[in-house]
């Protein structure tokens, strides 16, 4: 009798395992299998890096150039700078650019935005998404002979591909990052995670600074595992603080969270002002030399200095532009034929 009761209890407990627990156990088991295999060769890693699109562009060609194509997948990139320099605008631009289709050099994925400061702006993201769609359509118009069946996302599709989370305390963000694998197992097309900012939850006064360091290291380790396992980019925004020199005669601005955090991120980009112009300094990189380049923030988003974007086209203007381009091609072909006839004579 007791054995039958125990069997019923065991059966009930097994039936109570929900889908999230199954996914989490699968994540742990797969990771253990990865550790127990023979690893992966450097050649295989090189081939993986060359195959497919492994970067998310910023729409500033100079920043993309110094990063060899944009924000890399499978890495943690830190962007830090003073207030108002453009960190959040950079985050918004990356969220939108994640939807760029494969055929146009994008990763065609979704994005997660973790907001710790309450700085998310629906209107600004929608504005950038609108200009992105116009830009992609202009690109197709210029290459309509070769790109005839390319998928172009709509503004609604881009906005629907951004998942928003609002956190208020450092325990909340630690818990959220810890549970993200459950979400990513169901949404494997996520290609970007943005934390804006990593600083705010950890600026409160910790009685035990060692606790803050351990919490940050654990958080960063989870983010790195997620980036590698799910082939996505992790971008964290960081603030700056003033550091006094030992002789107390000079002071400089340095990224917040101390020296321990400096070694965590694979890439560090410092945004700063110089002569009323925004600059991006690639401060830390395992592959590229340290350098800096100017950039601008305009109505369309992050752009090169002096970039002139064509105005948005309405449907009638698009049809007119198509007709004009077709007529120009006909005229060019006609001129070429006349030149050939003249040469033959």
């Amino acid at each position: 009798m007791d054995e039958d009761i125990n069997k019923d209890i065991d059966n009930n407990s097994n039936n109570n395992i929900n889908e999230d627990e199954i996914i989490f156990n699968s994540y742990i088991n797969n990771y253990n299998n990865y550790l127990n295999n023979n690893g992966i060769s450097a050649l295989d890693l090189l081939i993986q890096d060359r195959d497919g699109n492994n970067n998310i562009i910023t729409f500033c060609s100079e920043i993309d150039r110094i990063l060899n194509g944009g924000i890399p997948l499978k890495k943690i990139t830190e962007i830090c700078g003073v207030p108002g320099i453009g960190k959040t605008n950079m985050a918004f631009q990356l969220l939108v650019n994640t939807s760029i289709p494969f055929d146009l050099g994008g990763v065609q994925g979704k994005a997660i935005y973790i907001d710790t400061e309450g700085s998310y702006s629906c209107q600004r993201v929608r504005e950038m998404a609108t200009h992105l769609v116009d830009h992609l359509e202009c690109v197709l118009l210029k290459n309509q002979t070769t790109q005839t069946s390319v998928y172009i996302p709509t503004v609604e599709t881009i906005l629907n591909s951004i998942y928003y989370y609002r956190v208020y305390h450092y325990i909340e963000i630690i818990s959220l990052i810890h549970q993200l694998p459950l979400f990513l197992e169901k949404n494997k097309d996520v290609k970007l995670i943005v934390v804006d900012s990593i600083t705010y939850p950890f600026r409160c006064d910790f009685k035990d600074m060692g606790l803050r360091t351990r919490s940050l290291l654990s958080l960063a380790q989870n983010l790195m595992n997620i980036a590698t396992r799910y082939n996505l980019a992790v971008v964290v925004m960081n603030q700056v603080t003033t550091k006094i020199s030992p002789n107390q005669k000079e002071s400089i601005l340095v990224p917040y969270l101390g020296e321990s955090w400096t070694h965590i991120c694979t890439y560090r980009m410092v945004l700063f002002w110089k002569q009323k112009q925004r600059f991006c300094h690639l401060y830390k990189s395992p592959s590229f030399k340290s350098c800096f380049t100017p950039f601008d923030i305009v109505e369309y988003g992050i752009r090169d200095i002096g970039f002139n974007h064509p105005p948005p086209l309405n449907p009638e203007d698009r049809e007119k532009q198509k007709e004009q381009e077709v007529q120009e091609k006909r005229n060019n072909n006609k001129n070429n034929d006349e030149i050939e006839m003249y040469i033959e004579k």
Side-chain angles (χ1 to χ4, degrees):
M1 184 68 178
D2 293 338
E3 293 179 357
D4 294 337
I5 294 175
N6 291 332
K7 289 181 180 180
D8 292 338
I9 294 174
D10 292 338
N11 291 332
N12 290 334
S13 62
N14 292 331
N15 292 332
N16 289 333
I17 298 178
N18 56 33
E19 184 179 0
D20 290 344
E21 292 175 341
I22 294 175
I23 294 175
F24 186 78
N25 291 334
S26 175
Y27 171 79
I28 297 299
N29 292 333
N30 289 336
Y31 188 71
N32 289 334
N33 293 334
Y34 173 78
L35 293 177
N36 293 329
N37 65 14
N38 294 326
I40 186 170
S41 69
L43 179 60
D44 291 335
L45 286 175
L46 180 62
I47 295 174
Q48 288 181 6
D49 289 339
R50 289 182 175 180
D51 292 340
N53 301 324
N54 296 308
N55 300 85
I56 302 174
I57 65 172
T58 65
F59 267 166
C60 177
S61 61
E62 288 301 312
I63 294 180
D64 294 335
R65 179 185 60 82
I66 65 177
L67 290 173
N68 196 29
I71 303 298
L73 303 184
K74 296 185 178 182
K75 307 293 182 183
I76 297 180
T77 301
E78 179 193 45
I79 301 176
C80 53
V82 298
I85 191 62
K87 299 187 297 296
T88 299
N89 270 275
M90 183 72 75
F92 293 165
Q93 188 69 70
L94 294 173
L95 293 176
V96 171
N97 290 355
T98 305
S99 298
I100 297 176
F102 296 119
D103 294 330
L104 296 178
V107 296
Q108 194 171 331
K110 298 181 179 180
I112 296 174
Y113 184 80
I114 302 175
D115 186 6
T116 67
E117 299 183 0
S119 55
Y120 182 79
S121 173
C122 298
Q123 291 78 11
R124 182 57 172 154
V125 174
R126 185 180 185 278
E127 185 179 40
M128 288 184 176
T130 302
H131 290 298
L132 172 63
V133 173
D134 290 334
H135 174 75
L136 296 179
E137 291 178 349
C138 289
V139 171
L140 282 185
L141 286 175
K142 294 180 180 179
N143 302 277
Q144 56 183 353
T145 57
T146 58
Q147 302 288 347
T148 57
S149 60
V150 177
Y151 161 76
I152 297 295
T154 63
V155 175
E156 291 74 16
T157 303
I158 295 175
L159 297 179
N160 195 44
S161 65
I162 299 174
Y163 300 103
Y164 174 80
Y165 293 90
R166 179 72 168 99
V167 296
Y168 299 89
H169 195 270
Y170 78 93
I171 294 179
E172 292 181 357
I173 190 172
I174 291 174
S175 175
L176 175 60
I177 298 300
H178 182 71
Q179 298 181 61
L180 271 183
L182 305 177
F183 177 82
L184 295 173
E185 285 291 337
K186 301 177 184 178
N187 301 272
K188 294 188 176 181
D189 53 351
V190 172
K191 292 299 178 183
L192 174 67
I193 298 176
V194 175
V195 182
D196 187 14
S197 67
I198 192 66
T199 318
Y200 193 80
F202 294 93
R203 292 200 74 153
C204 58
D205 294 331
F206 278 77
K207 294 181 179 179
D208 183 3
M209 294 303 293
L211 173 62
R212 191 186 79 165
T213 301
R214 292 192 298 271
S215 300
L216 278 170
L217 293 177
S218 176
L219 179 67
Q221 185 178 19
N222 286 336
L223 286 173
M224 180 57 73
N225 290 338
I226 289 172
T228 304
R229 176 175 173 79
Y230 294 100
N231 189 33
L232 54 83
V234 175
V235 177
V236 294
M237 305 299 168
N238 194 1
Q239 300 172 2
V240 294
T241 185
T242 303
K243 182 178 181 180
I244 308 298
S245 62
N247 57 15
Q248 297 185 352
K249 293 183 179 180
E250 297 179 352
S251 62
I252 57 174
L253 292 176
V254 296
Y256 204 77
L257 300 178
E259 293 294 332
S260 298
W261 177 258
T262 303
H263 302 287
I264 292 174
C265 300
T266 310
Y267 294 85
R268 167 172 281 181
M269 299 163 56
V270 180
L271 309 184
F272 65 95
W273 292 98
K274 183 178 181 181
Q275 297 178 352
K276 299 182 179 181
Q277 176 61 59
R278 290 182 171 93
F279 281 82
C280 174
H281 179 200
L282 182 59
Y283 181 82
K284 178 186 176 185
S285 170
S287 306
F288 316 111
K289 66 179 182 179
S290 178
C291 58
F292 63 90
T293 183
F295 71 98
D296 202 0
I297 299 177
V298 295
E299 176 188 354
Y300 316 108
I302 305 297
R303 293 294 188 273
D304 290 311
I305 297 297
F307 178 82
N308 293 321
H309 193 285
L313 301 173
N314 56 45
E316 296 180 357
D317 291 337
R318 293 193 185 102
E319 292 299 327
K320 291 180 181 179
Q321 184 169 347
K322 287 181 180 179
E323 294 177 359
Q324 291 176 358
E325 291 183 352
V326 171
Q327 186 62 37
E328 288 177 359
K329 289 182 179 179
R330 289 176 180 174
N331 294 335
N332 291 334
N333 292 333
K334 184 178 179 180
N335 293 333
N336 291 334
D337 292 339
E338 293 177 351
I339 293 173
E340 290 178 358
M341 291 175 61
Y342 176 79
I343 293 174
E344 291 177 357
K345 291 180 180 180

